[in-house]
């Protein structure tokens, strides 16, 4: 239940009016996401979809993705599990009005988080950030 509460706080703390590092996931929340096991993750996603700002995305696997819906951006959180443990998390930021400033803000924010490694993929209307633990 504690993890569920933190997961709710993670997504509810995001702001739709502006994208800045204060509104992005913090180090403690990221650590909590990496502590989820597959069944716990799926159960928490099913709980969150009862709220209007969340939806579950089905895919070809047995892992649910969580879409957080805001006015200016949608964020899809996609954990990648290996042996029931989170190996990576893919955050996809889908913007109504994407610009290079968004990438700079996201890049600076994620690079400031220690003990995690990041890859960025910038496309027309979205930015994907793949997060993994660094060795």
């Amino acid at each position: 239940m504690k993890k569920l509460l933190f997961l709710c706080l993670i997504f509810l703390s995001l702001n739709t009016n502006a994208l800045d590092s204060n509104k992005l996931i913090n180090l403690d929340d990221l650590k909590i996401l990496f502590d989820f096991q597959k069944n716990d993750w799926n159960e928490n996603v099913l709980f969150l979809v009862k709220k209007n700002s969340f939806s579950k995305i089905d895919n070809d696997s047995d892992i649910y993705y969580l879409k957080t819906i805001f006015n200016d951006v949608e964020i899809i959180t996609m954990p990648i599990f290996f042996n029931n443990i989170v190996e990576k998390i893919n955050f996809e930021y889908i913007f109504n009005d994407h610009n290079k400033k968004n990438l700079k803000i996201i890049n600076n924010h994620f690079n400031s988080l220690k003990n995690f490694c990041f890859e960025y993929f910038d496309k027309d209307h979205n930015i994907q950030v793949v997060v993994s633990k660094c060795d």
Side-chain angles (χ1 to χ4, degrees):
M1 190 66 176
K2 181 179 176 182
K3 288 182 182 178
L4 177 61
L5 178 62
F6 279 115
L7 187 61
C8 285
L9 291 174
I10 289 168
F11 294 106
L12 293 176
S13 67
L14 297 172
N15 185 343
T16 62
N17 297 328
L19 183 64
D20 62 50
S21 59
N22 295 341
K23 308 303 183 226
L24 296 171
I25 192 166
N26 66 38
L27 183 60
D28 292 333
D29 293 338
L30 195 56
K31 288 177 182 177
I32 291 168
L33 286 179
F34 271 92
D35 285 341
F36 276 107
Q37 293 186 351
K38 189 180 341 183
N39 289 340
D40 294 334
W41 170 260
N42 284 339
E43 288 174 12
N44 286 312
V45 168
L46 290 174
F47 174 79
L48 289 173
V49 297
K50 295 177 183 177
K51 302 191 178 304
N52 290 336
S53 60
F54 298 102
S55 67
K56 174 180 68 99
I57 299 177
D58 292 316
N59 54 46
D60 293 336
S61 75
D62 59 345
I63 301 166
Y64 298 132
Y65 295 161
L66 181 65
K67 180 190 281 188
T68 310
I69 305 163
F70 298 108
N71 292 334
D72 299 335
V73 64
E74 295 179 352
I75 303 168
I76 302 175
T77 305
M78 301 169 276
I80 301 166
F81 290 89
F82 181 74
N83 288 334
N84 205 31
I85 297 170
V86 176
E87 181 180 45
K88 296 179 181 181
I89 301 173
N90 184 359
F91 295 99
E92 183 174 1
Y93 298 84
I94 305 168
F95 298 93
N96 292 339
D97 183 25
H98 178 42
N99 57 54
K100 293 296 179 187
K101 183 178 177 186
N102 293 333
L103 178 61
K104 183 177 180 181
I105 292 168
I106 289 173
N107 188 19
N108 289 340
H109 174 74
F110 280 101
N111 283 329
S112 71
L113 302 176
K114 303 298 178 203
N115 301 322
F116 289 95
C117 296
F118 308 94
E119 294 179 79
Y120 306 93
F121 304 96
D122 187 13
K123 299 182 182 177
D124 290 338
H125 292 287
N126 68 39
I127 297 172
Q128 289 188 15
V129 180
V130 179
V131 182
S132 60
K133 289 185 177 179
C134 294
D135 294 328

